[in-house]
Amino acid sequence: MAATSATTFSIGSTASTRPSITRLTQSKALGFKVDVKNNLKSFSGLKAFCESESTFLSSESCAALKRTYRRRAQNQSNRAPSCVQPQASYKVTILGAGGGIGQPLSLLVKMSPLVSALNLYDVANVKGVATDLSHCNTPSRVSDFTGESELANSLKGADVVVIPAGVPRKPGMTRDDLFNINANIVKTLVAAVADNCPDALIHIISNPVNSTVPIAAEVLKQKGVYDPKKLFGVTTLDVVRANTFIAERKNLRLVDVDVPVVGGHAGITILPLLSKAKPPVTLTDEEVQELTVRIQNAGTEVVEAKAGAGSATLSMAYAAARFVESSLRALDGDGDVYECAFVESNVTELPFFASRIKLGRKGVEAVISSELDGLTDYEQKALEALKPELKSSIEKGISFVKKQLVAA
Protein backbone atom coordinates (compact mmCIF):
# COMPACT_ATOMS: atom_id res chain seq x y z
CA MET A 1 0.00 0.00 0.00
CA ALA A 2 1.30 3.42 -0.87
CA ALA A 3 1.66 6.06 1.79
CA THR A 4 -1.67 7.28 3.02
CA SER A 5 -2.63 10.90 3.44
CA ALA A 6 -1.90 12.79 6.60
CA THR A 7 -5.45 12.23 7.78
CA THR A 8 -6.23 9.75 10.54
CA PHE A 9 -9.79 9.36 11.79
CA SER A 10 -10.97 9.36 15.38
CA ILE A 11 -14.14 8.19 17.13
CA GLY A 12 -12.80 6.94 20.45
CA SER A 13 -13.06 8.05 24.04
CA THR A 14 -11.44 11.36 24.78
CA ALA A 15 -10.85 10.74 28.47
CA SER A 16 -7.18 10.05 27.89
CA THR A 17 -4.96 12.57 26.16
CA ARG A 18 -3.19 10.83 23.33
CA PRO A 19 -0.85 12.39 20.77
CA SER A 20 -1.56 12.46 17.08
CA ILE A 21 -0.05 10.77 14.06
CA THR A 22 0.64 12.78 10.98
CA ARG A 23 1.49 10.02 8.51
CA LEU A 24 0.98 6.27 8.22
CA THR A 25 3.11 4.28 5.82
CA GLN A 26 2.85 0.53 5.35
CA SER A 27 6.15 -1.24 5.73
CA LYS A 28 5.07 -4.86 5.38
CA ALA A 29 1.91 -6.94 5.19
CA LEU A 30 1.36 -7.07 8.92
CA GLY A 31 2.93 -3.83 10.01
CA PHE A 32 3.48 -0.17 9.30
CA LYS A 33 5.79 2.61 10.28
CA VAL A 34 4.56 5.69 12.05
CA ASP A 35 6.25 9.07 11.93
CA VAL A 36 5.14 10.80 15.09
CA LYS A 37 4.81 14.54 15.23
CA ASN A 38 6.79 16.26 17.98
CA ASN A 39 8.77 13.05 18.56
CA LEU A 40 6.05 11.38 20.60
CA LYS A 41 6.28 7.78 21.75
CA SER A 42 2.67 6.66 21.58
CA PHE A 43 -0.27 6.66 19.23
CA SER A 44 -3.87 5.57 18.96
CA GLY A 45 -6.15 4.40 16.19
CA LEU A 46 -9.69 5.75 16.32
CA LYS A 47 -8.83 8.14 19.13
CA ALA A 48 -8.27 11.88 19.10
CA PHE A 49 -6.69 12.37 15.66
CA CYS A 50 -7.31 15.93 14.61
CA GLU A 51 -4.31 16.92 12.55
CA SER A 52 -6.55 17.66 9.57
CA GLU A 53 -10.10 18.86 9.16
CA SER A 54 -11.15 15.48 7.72
CA THR A 55 -12.28 13.75 10.89
CA PHE A 56 -15.52 12.58 12.41
CA LEU A 57 -15.30 15.48 14.87
CA SER A 58 -16.24 19.11 14.40
CA SER A 59 -13.56 21.73 13.96
CA GLU A 60 -14.31 23.05 17.47
CA SER A 61 -13.88 19.59 19.01
CA CYS A 62 -10.67 19.07 17.06
CA ALA A 63 -9.28 22.34 18.35
CA ALA A 64 -10.24 21.38 21.89
CA LEU A 65 -8.56 18.00 21.56
CA LYS A 66 -5.40 19.56 20.20
CA ARG A 67 -5.21 21.85 23.21
CA THR A 68 -5.63 18.94 25.62
CA TYR A 69 -2.69 16.95 24.31
CA ARG A 70 -0.38 19.82 23.32
CA ARG A 71 0.97 20.10 26.88
CA ARG A 72 1.80 16.39 26.99
CA ALA A 73 3.51 16.66 23.60
CA GLN A 74 5.72 19.44 24.89
CA ASN A 75 6.63 17.45 28.00
CA GLN A 76 7.62 14.37 26.00
CA SER A 77 9.44 16.02 23.13
CA ASN A 78 12.70 16.49 25.04
CA ARG A 79 13.16 12.82 25.91
CA ALA A 80 11.54 10.87 23.05
CA PRO A 81 13.58 9.42 20.18
CA SER A 82 13.31 11.12 16.81
CA CYS A 83 11.23 8.31 15.33
CA VAL A 84 9.35 5.27 16.55
CA GLN A 85 8.00 2.38 14.54
CA PRO A 86 5.12 0.67 16.33
CA GLN A 87 3.69 -2.25 14.41
CA ALA A 88 0.06 -3.03 13.70
CA SER A 89 0.10 -6.48 15.21
CA TYR A 90 -3.32 -7.41 16.58
CA LYS A 91 -5.88 -9.75 15.07
CA VAL A 92 -9.55 -8.96 15.64
CA THR A 93 -12.37 -11.36 14.78
CA ILE A 94 -15.95 -10.15 14.49
CA LEU A 95 -18.57 -12.89 14.79
CA GLY A 96 -21.73 -11.67 13.10
CA ALA A 97 -19.94 -9.27 10.76
CA GLY A 98 -22.65 -9.31 8.12
CA GLY A 99 -25.36 -7.92 10.38
CA GLY A 100 -26.68 -4.46 11.15
CA ILE A 101 -24.09 -3.88 13.88
CA GLY A 102 -21.39 -6.07 12.39
CA GLN A 103 -20.97 -4.17 9.13
CA PRO A 104 -20.42 -0.64 10.50
CA LEU A 105 -18.39 -2.09 13.37
CA SER A 106 -16.14 -3.87 10.87
CA LEU A 107 -15.59 -0.61 9.02
CA LEU A 108 -14.64 1.26 12.18
CA VAL A 109 -12.29 -1.49 13.38
CA LYS A 110 -10.70 -1.58 9.91
CA MET A 111 -9.67 2.03 10.54
CA SER A 112 -7.54 1.21 13.58
CA PRO A 113 -3.79 1.24 12.88
CA LEU A 114 -3.35 -1.26 15.72
CA VAL A 115 -5.11 -3.99 13.74
CA SER A 116 -3.06 -6.12 11.34
CA ALA A 117 -5.73 -8.72 10.56
CA LEU A 118 -9.50 -8.36 10.60
CA ASN A 119 -11.44 -11.62 10.32
CA LEU A 120 -15.13 -11.35 9.49
CA TYR A 121 -17.42 -14.29 10.21
CA ASP A 122 -21.12 -14.83 9.64
CA VAL A 123 -23.48 -17.58 8.58
CA ALA A 124 -24.05 -15.81 5.24
CA ASN A 125 -23.45 -12.63 3.22
CA VAL A 126 -20.05 -11.82 4.69
CA LYS A 127 -17.86 -12.26 1.62
CA GLY A 128 -19.15 -9.08 0.02
CA VAL A 129 -18.64 -7.12 3.22
CA ALA A 130 -15.04 -8.31 3.46
CA THR A 131 -14.33 -7.55 -0.21
CA ASP A 132 -15.78 -4.07 0.17
CA LEU A 133 -13.73 -3.34 3.29
CA SER A 134 -10.55 -4.75 1.76
CA HIS A 135 -10.50 -1.79 -0.63
CA CYS A 136 -10.02 0.65 2.26
CA ASN A 137 -6.39 1.79 2.40
CA THR A 138 -5.79 1.05 6.07
CA PRO A 139 -3.18 -1.42 7.33
CA SER A 140 -5.30 -4.42 8.32
CA ARG A 141 -5.81 -7.36 6.02
CA VAL A 142 -9.45 -8.46 5.80
CA SER A 143 -10.50 -12.11 5.52
CA ASP A 144 -13.99 -13.58 5.28
CA PHE A 145 -15.32 -16.81 6.81
CA THR A 146 -18.79 -18.18 6.13
CA GLY A 147 -20.70 -20.88 7.94
CA GLU A 148 -20.01 -23.29 10.77
CA SER A 149 -17.26 -25.12 8.87
CA GLU A 150 -15.14 -21.96 8.74
CA LEU A 151 -15.81 -20.67 12.26
CA ALA A 152 -12.72 -22.26 13.79
CA ASN A 153 -10.37 -20.78 11.20
CA SER A 154 -11.83 -17.32 11.71
CA LEU A 155 -10.77 -17.48 15.37
CA LYS A 156 -7.29 -18.95 15.26
CA GLY A 157 -4.75 -16.50 16.64
CA ALA A 158 -7.30 -13.80 17.48
CA ASP A 159 -6.36 -11.29 20.17
CA VAL A 160 -9.84 -9.79 20.44
CA VAL A 161 -13.14 -11.44 19.55
CA VAL A 162 -16.25 -9.29 19.24
CA ILE A 163 -19.67 -10.97 19.21
CA PRO A 164 -22.55 -8.86 17.84
CA ALA A 165 -24.23 -11.95 16.34
CA GLY A 166 -27.90 -12.48 17.05
CA VAL A 167 -31.31 -11.12 16.18
CA PRO A 168 -32.09 -7.43 16.75
CA ARG A 169 -34.94 -6.05 18.75
CA LYS A 170 -38.17 -5.17 16.98
CA PRO A 171 -40.98 -2.86 18.13
CA GLY A 172 -42.61 -4.22 21.26
CA MET A 173 -39.76 -6.65 21.87
CA THR A 174 -37.76 -6.40 25.10
CA ARG A 175 -34.18 -7.56 25.47
CA ASP A 176 -35.50 -10.51 27.41
CA ASP A 177 -37.58 -11.56 24.39
CA LEU A 178 -34.32 -12.11 22.55
CA PHE A 179 -33.07 -14.58 25.10
CA ASN A 180 -33.91 -17.99 23.65
CA ILE A 181 -32.51 -17.20 20.20
CA ASN A 182 -29.42 -15.25 21.17
CA ALA A 183 -28.54 -17.47 24.12
CA ASN A 184 -27.94 -20.43 21.81
CA ILE A 185 -25.99 -18.30 19.34
CA VAL A 186 -23.67 -16.96 22.05
CA LYS A 187 -23.21 -20.40 23.59
CA THR A 188 -22.11 -21.86 20.25
CA LEU A 189 -19.77 -19.02 19.35
CA VAL A 190 -18.11 -18.79 22.76
CA ALA A 191 -17.50 -22.56 22.72
CA ALA A 192 -15.64 -22.05 19.44
CA VAL A 193 -13.62 -19.21 20.98
CA ALA A 194 -12.68 -21.48 23.88
CA ASP A 195 -11.45 -24.15 21.47
CA ASN A 196 -9.52 -21.91 19.08
CA CYS A 197 -8.33 -18.75 20.87
CA PRO A 198 -8.84 -19.23 24.62
CA ASP A 199 -6.55 -16.33 25.52
CA ALA A 200 -8.44 -13.74 23.47
CA LEU A 201 -10.35 -10.85 24.98
CA ILE A 202 -14.05 -11.55 24.40
CA HIS A 203 -16.44 -8.65 23.84
CA ILE A 204 -20.11 -9.64 24.13
CA ILE A 205 -22.60 -7.35 22.37
CA SER A 206 -25.41 -9.85 21.74
CA ASN A 207 -28.43 -9.00 23.87
CA PRO A 208 -29.57 -9.50 26.55
CA VAL A 209 -26.02 -8.77 27.78
CA ASN A 210 -27.11 -9.23 31.39
CA SER A 211 -27.67 -12.91 30.55
CA THR A 212 -25.35 -13.59 27.62
CA VAL A 213 -22.20 -12.66 29.56
CA PRO A 214 -23.00 -15.20 32.33
CA ILE A 215 -23.75 -17.73 29.56
CA ALA A 216 -20.32 -17.09 28.06
CA ALA A 217 -18.68 -17.44 31.47
CA GLU A 218 -20.35 -20.82 32.08
CA VAL A 219 -19.33 -22.12 28.66
CA LEU A 220 -15.73 -21.06 29.24
CA LYS A 221 -15.78 -22.70 32.67
CA GLN A 222 -16.98 -25.96 31.15
CA LYS A 223 -14.13 -25.76 28.66
CA GLY A 224 -11.63 -25.08 31.47
CA VAL A 225 -10.41 -21.79 30.02
CA TYR A 226 -12.42 -19.16 31.89
CA ASP A 227 -10.50 -16.01 32.75
CA PRO A 228 -12.83 -13.38 34.23
CA LYS A 229 -10.37 -10.65 33.29
CA LYS A 230 -10.91 -11.36 29.61
CA LEU A 231 -14.70 -11.48 29.36
CA PHE A 232 -16.61 -8.24 28.84
CA GLY A 233 -20.19 -7.23 28.28
CA VAL A 234 -19.95 -4.12 26.12
CA THR A 235 -22.04 -1.44 27.84
CA THR A 236 -20.16 1.46 26.28
CA LEU A 237 -23.29 2.56 24.42
CA ASP A 238 -24.91 3.53 27.71
CA VAL A 239 -21.92 5.77 28.46
CA VAL A 240 -21.98 7.25 24.97
CA ARG A 241 -25.66 8.06 25.30
CA ALA A 242 -25.25 9.52 28.78
CA ASN A 243 -22.42 11.75 27.59
CA THR A 244 -24.42 12.89 24.58
CA PHE A 245 -27.63 13.65 26.44
CA ILE A 246 -25.85 15.52 29.25
CA ALA A 247 -23.84 17.60 26.76
CA GLU A 248 -26.98 18.49 24.85
CA ARG A 249 -28.94 19.40 27.97
CA LYS A 250 -26.22 21.57 29.47
CA ASN A 251 -24.72 22.89 26.24
CA LEU A 252 -21.33 21.34 26.97
CA ARG A 253 -18.67 20.24 24.52
CA LEU A 254 -18.96 16.49 24.08
CA VAL A 255 -15.20 16.13 24.27
CA ASP A 256 -15.34 17.30 27.89
CA VAL A 257 -18.14 15.06 29.17
CA ASP A 258 -17.69 11.71 30.92
CA VAL A 259 -20.53 10.01 32.79
CA PRO A 260 -19.98 6.61 34.45
CA VAL A 261 -22.84 4.14 33.94
CA VAL A 262 -23.13 1.15 36.27
CA GLY A 263 -25.37 -1.87 36.84
CA GLY A 264 -26.36 -3.76 33.72
CA HIS A 265 -27.40 -3.18 30.13
CA ALA A 266 -31.20 -3.27 30.09
CA GLY A 267 -33.94 -0.99 31.36
CA ILE A 268 -33.70 -0.05 35.02
CA THR A 269 -30.47 -2.02 35.43
CA ILE A 270 -28.78 0.83 33.52
CA LEU A 271 -27.82 3.42 36.13
CA PRO A 272 -26.04 6.58 34.95
CA LEU A 273 -24.27 8.21 37.88
CA LEU A 274 -25.06 11.79 36.93
CA SER A 275 -23.67 13.03 40.24
CA LYS A 276 -20.27 11.70 39.16
CA ALA A 277 -20.32 13.40 35.74
CA LYS A 278 -17.21 15.22 34.61
CA PRO A 279 -17.30 18.14 34.39
CA PRO A 280 -19.71 18.42 37.33
CA VAL A 281 -23.18 19.51 36.28
CA THR A 282 -26.04 20.98 38.27
CA LEU A 283 -29.32 19.17 37.65
CA THR A 284 -32.73 19.53 39.22
CA ASP A 285 -34.42 16.43 40.60
CA GLU A 286 -36.72 16.49 37.58
CA GLU A 287 -33.77 16.66 35.18
CA VAL A 288 -32.03 13.77 36.91
CA GLN A 289 -35.10 11.59 36.63
CA GLU A 290 -35.81 12.60 33.04
CA LEU A 291 -32.23 12.02 31.88
CA THR A 292 -31.92 8.72 33.74
CA VAL A 293 -35.11 7.37 32.18
CA ARG A 294 -34.08 8.54 28.72
CA ILE A 295 -30.69 6.85 28.99
CA GLN A 296 -32.35 3.65 30.21
CA ASN A 297 -34.89 3.67 27.38
CA ALA A 298 -32.68 5.04 24.60
CA GLY A 299 -32.62 1.69 22.81
CA THR A 300 -36.40 1.67 22.65
CA GLU A 301 -36.29 5.26 21.38
CA VAL A 302 -34.28 4.06 18.38
CA VAL A 303 -36.41 0.96 17.79
CA GLU A 304 -39.58 3.05 17.72
CA ALA A 305 -38.02 5.72 15.51
CA LYS A 306 -37.00 3.07 12.96
CA ALA A 307 -40.57 1.78 13.01
CA GLY A 308 -39.75 -1.87 12.51
CA ALA A 309 -36.73 -1.30 10.28
CA GLY A 310 -34.14 -2.14 12.93
CA SER A 311 -32.63 -1.29 16.28
CA ALA A 312 -29.65 0.76 17.47
CA THR A 313 -27.03 -0.49 15.02
CA LEU A 314 -24.93 2.56 14.18
CA SER A 315 -24.57 3.93 17.69
CA MET A 316 -23.88 0.42 18.98
CA ALA A 317 -21.18 -0.07 16.33
CA TYR A 318 -19.64 3.26 17.31
CA ALA A 319 -19.62 2.34 20.99
CA ALA A 320 -18.27 -1.16 20.33
CA ALA A 321 -15.49 0.25 18.16
CA ARG A 322 -14.53 2.57 20.99
CA PHE A 323 -14.30 -0.38 23.38
CA VAL A 324 -12.29 -2.44 20.87
CA GLU A 325 -9.90 0.46 20.43
CA SER A 326 -9.53 0.82 24.20
CA SER A 327 -8.76 -2.89 24.52
CA LEU A 328 -6.15 -2.72 21.77
CA ARG A 329 -4.48 0.30 23.34
CA ALA A 330 -4.31 -1.57 26.64
CA LEU A 331 -2.86 -4.65 24.94
CA ASP A 332 -0.33 -2.37 23.29
CA GLY A 333 0.87 -1.08 26.66
CA ASP A 334 -1.12 2.09 27.25
CA GLY A 335 -1.35 2.34 31.04
CA ASP A 336 -4.19 4.86 31.13
CA VAL A 337 -7.22 3.11 29.62
CA TYR A 338 -10.54 3.18 31.46
CA GLU A 339 -14.00 2.13 30.27
CA CYS A 340 -17.27 0.98 31.79
CA ALA A 341 -18.11 -2.69 31.13
CA PHE A 342 -20.22 -5.55 32.47
CA VAL A 343 -17.72 -7.94 34.06
CA GLU A 344 -17.34 -10.43 36.88
CA SER A 345 -17.11 -8.22 39.91
CA ASN A 346 -17.26 -8.04 43.70
CA VAL A 347 -18.18 -4.36 43.98
CA THR A 348 -21.70 -5.52 44.91
CA GLU A 349 -23.15 -8.84 46.05
CA LEU A 350 -23.94 -9.68 42.41
CA PRO A 351 -21.49 -11.89 40.50
CA PHE A 352 -21.52 -9.58 37.45
CA PHE A 353 -21.85 -5.83 37.44
CA ALA A 354 -21.11 -2.96 35.07
CA SER A 355 -18.77 -0.32 36.41
CA ARG A 356 -15.65 1.52 35.39
CA ILE A 357 -12.64 -0.71 34.88
CA LYS A 358 -9.00 -0.18 34.10
CA LEU A 359 -7.81 -2.17 31.11
CA GLY A 360 -4.34 -3.67 30.86
CA ARG A 361 -2.36 -6.18 28.83
CA LYS A 362 -4.21 -9.09 30.46
CA GLY A 363 -7.67 -7.60 30.32
CA VAL A 364 -9.29 -6.18 33.44
CA GLU A 365 -6.50 -4.74 35.53
CA ALA A 366 -8.75 -3.18 38.17
CA VAL A 367 -12.44 -2.66 38.90
CA ILE A 368 -13.05 0.88 40.15
CA SER A 369 -15.40 0.56 43.09
CA SER A 370 -14.99 4.09 44.44
CA GLU A 371 -17.62 5.51 42.10
CA LEU A 372 -20.28 3.70 44.11
CA ASP A 373 -19.28 5.74 47.16
CA GLY A 374 -21.14 8.91 47.99
CA LEU A 375 -24.14 8.34 45.73
CA THR A 376 -27.13 10.63 45.93
CA ASP A 377 -30.31 9.31 47.55
CA TYR A 378 -31.86 8.92 44.10
CA GLU A 379 -28.88 6.92 42.81
CA GLN A 380 -28.67 4.76 45.93
CA LYS A 381 -32.36 3.86 45.70
CA ALA A 382 -32.02 3.15 41.98
CA LEU A 383 -29.00 0.94 42.67
CA GLU A 384 -30.92 -1.15 45.19
CA ALA A 385 -33.94 -1.31 42.86
CA LEU A 386 -31.94 -2.66 39.92
CA LYS A 387 -30.25 -5.47 41.83
CA PRO A 388 -33.18 -7.97 41.91
CA GLU A 389 -33.77 -7.64 38.15
CA LEU A 390 -30.08 -7.90 37.33
CA LYS A 391 -29.71 -10.87 39.66
CA SER A 392 -32.59 -12.63 37.89
CA SER A 393 -31.06 -12.02 34.45
CA ILE A 394 -27.67 -13.32 35.56
CA GLU A 395 -29.21 -16.45 37.06
CA LYS A 396 -31.24 -16.99 33.91
CA GLY A 397 -28.08 -17.11 31.83
CA ILE A 398 -26.29 -19.46 34.21
CA SER A 399 -29.33 -21.71 34.44
CA PHE A 400 -29.61 -21.88 30.64
CA VAL A 401 -26.17 -23.42 30.26
CA LYS A 402 -26.52 -25.78 33.21
CA LYS A 403 -29.88 -27.08 31.97
CA GLN A 404 -28.41 -27.78 28.55
CA LEU A 405 -25.50 -29.59 30.14
CA VAL A 406 -27.86 -31.80 32.15
CA ALA A 407 -29.98 -32.50 29.07
CA ALA A 408 -26.88 -33.50 27.13
Side-chain angles (χ1 to χ4, degrees), residues 214-235:
I215 287 172
E218 290 302 308
V219 171
L220 294 168
K221 288 176 184 177
Q222 289 180 10
K223 293 281 188 176
V225 295
Y226 178 51
D227 184 347
K229 295 181 179 180
K230 295 185 176 182
L231 177 63
F232 308 87
V234 180
T235 62

Side-chain angles (χ1 to χ4, degrees), residues 268-291:
I268 67 165
T269 70
I270 300 169
L271 178 56
L273 301 181
L274 302 180
S275 69
K276 307 284 186 176
K278 295 180 181 179
V281 293
T282 300
L283 300 168
T284 66
D285 292 344
E286 292 75 16
E287 285 179 315
V288 169
Q289 183 172 1
E290 180 185 341
L291 284 165

Side-chain angles (χ1 to χ4, degrees), residues 109-173:
V109 174
K110 177 73 168 75
M111 295 167 65
S112 172
L114 286 168
V115 179
S116 61
L118 177 59
N119 288 358
L120 307 183
Y121 169 85
D122 216 320
V123 293
N125 303 323
V126 74
K127 186 176 183 62
V129 176
T131 301
D132 196 359
L133 281 181
S134 71
H135 295 176
C136 298
N137 62 329
T138 61
S140 57
R141 178 177 296 171
V142 182
S143 302
D144 61 278
F145 302 84
T146 303
E148 185 178 351
S149 63
E150 297 185 4
L151 176 58
N153 285 335
S154 76
L155 292 165
K156 293 187 184 303
D159 299 291
V160 175
V161 177
V162 191
I163 306 181
V167 299
R169 281 204 297 164
K170 297 178 181 179
M173 180 186 289

